[in-house]
Amino acid sequence: MDIKGKQVLVFGTGISGIAAGQLLLLKGADVILYDGNASLDAAMLREELLEGAEGSLVVNAAEVSKRVRVVLGDFPEDEMDSLDLVVISPGVPTDLPIVNEMRKMQIPIWGEVELAYVYGQGDVLAITGTNGKTTTTTLLGEIMKNYRESVYVVGNIGNPYACAAAETKPESVVVAEMSSFQLETIHTFRPKVSAVLNITPDHLNRHHTMEAYIEAKKNIFRNQTEEDTCVLNYEDEVTRKFGENTKAKVLYFSSRRKLERGVYLEGGRIICCMEKPVQICRTDELQLLGVHNYENVMAAAAMAAAYGVPMEVIRRSVKAFKGVEHRIEFVAEVRGVAYYNDSKATNPDAAIRGIQAMNRPTLLIGGGYDKNSTYEEWIRAFGGKVKKLVLLGATAEKIASEAHKLGFEDTILVETFEEAVKTCARYAAPGDAVLLSPACASWGMFKNYEERGEKFKELVKQF
């Protein structure tokens, strides 16, 4: 689509919306930046769009100011007819009445990822899954940076794809973390290599059903062809079946069995078998804890191998990788107690992996925003490791009730995050661990899991 001179509505004023608006302005479109929240500061949003968030994609305000409008609150119905395209941010539910009305009027609706893909260049390596996306994306980004000069790591990892799209070149590699929200609104998006790491219940408050959530995840390989590769987790029942639904070449990884072709864990070694078995590394050479992280390494290695990265580059990169912030991140040891920040565990399955990685008696901080998750499997995974479960937020009573039904009685409910951390410190003994692994989103108490994790680290460092 040639969007020069076209009227484009950008729905959502977060970082993805601002990035999409900047890319559209660079491509010559007239932009209406829209948000249903009438209390936002229109002048500030306009300035952010024109000047660029944190200096990215800076545009000349004098040249484009006439092509920018900010609309807040209810969108005027009489202006719908003038829209040539709507670019919707990931945080905007796709079943809102206004979005449904746009569909009825047959206005094209793209996501920010679709926009960036259409106007970007180079090969895309894209990762989705319920858990492990950020670690796998970051590691694959490091592998590719050791292989290619022009590499961009984008998407749900906190750097909108639209921020990088205008800078990409034909020889560029874009490593993209894709959430289910982002994948809902793609049309032509086609990765050269895709990966689905795992599928467990998450975001059911948005998708409503597990089936809808799975369908959104499947979009990552929907447009792939026989020329492309899809990397899948053989040990996840849902993703294993995805191998029957894609036209792409399938490459599995497994933490439980040897594969004739793929990447697998065997006797403490990670093996890549494309034509013949080749050892990537031993698990004790990695700077990461837990089988779930070995799976992340296998997925990243499989994607890199499928793209043609030499094994020595893969090997060197995975051994040097130190993990990502907020994911089972060691913070400090205070008076013999080790503190770990796993704020990125925003659902029960991710939190299970955090518990499994602990090798000490653990005081666990959980609770937060209610995404309609169930917590039974998480509680069952405590396996005698958890000494006390300190709960806060909207889900505190729900989790405590489920814990008590399952026979785990050592729960403490607190009102504030500071109280949760101090309570753990009070009950912890030398040799214990305190783990922030909430199994819930941070919304309602914090802007995001990063802010929650930073607050945890700040409080620990005050001890």
Side-chain angles (χ1 to χ4, degrees):
M1 177 188 289
D2 182 4
I3 57 172
K4 189 171 183 179
K6 302 287 187 182
Q7 184 99 308
V8 183
L9 177 74
V10 175
F11 196 157
T13 56
I15 59 171
S16 292
I18 295 297
Q22 291 166 350
L23 179 57
L24 287 162
L25 289 173
L26 288 175
K27 296 298 178 181
D30 295 338
V31 174
I32 302 173
L33 184 62
Y34 170 67
D35 201 294
N37 185 354
S39 66
L40 295 175
D41 188 326
M44 184 179 296
L45 290 171
R46 179 186 178 86
E47 181 180 348
E48 186 177 6
L49 180 61
L50 290 172
E51 295 183 1
E54 297 182 355
S56 62
L57 288 178
V58 178
V59 294
N60 189 323
E63 293 179 4
V64 301
S65 60
K66 294 180 181 179
R67 294 195 279 119
V68 175
R69 287 174 55 209
V70 178
V71 176
L72 302 175
D74 294 330
F75 190 78
E77 288 186 20
D78 58 358
E79 289 196 37
M80 288 275 202
D81 286 333
S82 68
L83 300 178
D84 296 300
L85 173 68
V86 174
V87 177
I88 190 168
S89 296
V92 177
T94 56
D95 57 356
L96 290 177
I98 185 174
V99 179
N100 287 331
E101 185 61 30
M102 291 169 178
R103 285 196 191 93
K104 285 181 184 177
M105 297 180 68
Q106 298 186 326
I107 302 169
I109 299 173
W110 292 4
E112 175 257 331
V113 165
E114 178 70 13
L115 176 75
Y117 179 76
V118 168
Y119 294 105
Q121 300 181 80
D123 290 332
V124 178
L125 313 181
I127 296 117
T128 195
T130 305
N131 298 303
K133 296 188 296 295
T134 299
T135 299
T136 306
T137 301
T138 306
L139 172 54
L140 183 59
E142 292 301 306
I143 295 171
M144 298 314 299
K145 287 173 185 176
N146 289 330
Y147 178 58
R148 286 282 186 87
E149 288 188 9
S150 179
V151 176
Y152 298 88
V153 181
V154 303
N156 195 55
I157 202 164
N159 180 33
Y161 190 176
C163 282
E167 300 174 16
T168 55
K169 299 169 282 191
E171 64 272 21
S172 296
V173 175
V174 176
V175 180
E177 177 185 333
M178 295 286 99
S179 71
S180 57
F181 296 176
Q182 291 168 314
L183 291 168
E184 277 186 313
T185 49
I186 61 105
H187 298 281
T188 63
F189 177 71
R190 175 190 162 192
K192 184 70 178 171
V193 183
S194 69
V196 188
L197 306 179
N198 44 63
I199 300 286
T200 56
D202 198 16
H203 299 301
L204 298 187
N205 58 318
R206 164 77 171 254
H207 296 290
H208 307 303
T209 67
M210 191 63 186
E211 290 74 18
Y213 176 58
I214 290 171
E215 285 302 308
K217 291 293 192 184
K218 286 166 69 173
N219 280 341
I220 199 166
F221 58 75
R222 200 172 297 280
N223 296 320
Q224 287 189 294
T225 71
E226 295 84 354
E227 297 177 2
D228 307 316
T229 302
C230 180
V231 172
L232 299 169
N233 185 349
Y234 192 86
E235 301 310 327
D236 184 294
E237 185 177 345
V238 177
T239 60
R240 183 167 63 247
K241 290 181 180 177
F242 283 177
E244 303 168 7
N245 304 133
T246 178
K247 294 178 182 176
K249 296 186 288 288
V250 174
L251 193 62
Y252 286 107
F253 66 91
S254 172
S255 58
R256 298 181 187 173
R257 73 195 71 213
K258 184 177 180 178
L259 301 173
E260 289 186 8
R261 187 173 184 273
V263 181
Y264 57 90
L265 183 62
E266 183 182 51
R269 300 179 303 147
I270 295 177
I271 308 294
C272 179
C273 185
M274 303 295 274
E275 296 178 354
K276 62 180 182 179
V278 177
Q279 179 173 312
I280 298 175
C281 64
R282 299 190 313 273
T283 55
D284 61 10
E285 294 177 298
L286 297 172
Q287 301 184 58
L288 302 172
L289 290 173
V291 172
H292 68 285
N293 271 324
Y294 305 156
E295 292 176 338
N296 296 335
V297 170
M298 287 188 282
M303 293 183 75
Y307 191 70
V309 179
M311 187 53 61
E312 185 48 45
V313 174
I314 297 173
R315 183 178 292 118
R316 174 162 39 91
S317 302
V318 300
K319 287 181 180 181
F321 185 63
K322 295 182 179 180
V324 298
E325 197 175 14
H326 310 298
R327 193 65 180 107
I328 319 180
E329 175 193 8
F330 176 73
V331 178
E333 184 163 321
V334 182
R335 293 184 289 277
V337 178
Y339 289 81
Y340 289 91
N341 166 28
D342 195 30
S343 182
K344 200 174 188 311
T346 58
N347 60 65
D349 190 63
I352 287 171
R353 294 161 189 251
I355 283 292
Q356 289 173 339
M358 292 296 101
N359 54 10
R360 298 178 176 216
T362 300
L363 294 95
L364 177 61
I365 300 174
Y369 180 84
D370 193 351
K371 295 194 288 184
N372 296 332
S373 298
T374 59
Y375 302 94
E376 182 177 337
E377 287 189 33
W378 177 46
I379 295 161
R380 290 188 188 280
F382 290 177
K385 289 183 182 179
V386 178
K387 291 177 64 174
K388 290 193 181 296
L389 175 60
V390 179
L391 297 165
L392 73 162
T395 58
E397 291 187 4
K398 177 180 178 180
I399 295 172
S401 176
E402 287 198 32
H404 297 165
K405 287 177 185 177
L406 293 169
F408 186 91
E409 300 287 345
D410 291 324
T411 59
I412 301 174
L413 273 63
V414 297
E415 293 295 324
T416 68
F417 192 70
E418 290 83 354
E419 187 183 355
V421 179
K422 289 178 180 177
T423 298
C424 287
R426 184 165 66 249
Y427 284 101
D432 289 349
V434 172
L435 173 66
L436 169 67
S437 191
C440 301
S442 59
W443 310 320
M445 299 184 75
F446 299 96
K447 288 189 298 185
N448 47 45
Y449 73 81
E450 292 97 337
E451 184 180 73
R452 178 171 62 188
E454 291 300 332
K455 184 63 177 179
F456 178 74
K457 292 191 284 187
E458 176 188 320
L459 291 168
V460 169
K461 289 171 184 176
Q462 291 175 3
F463 292 152

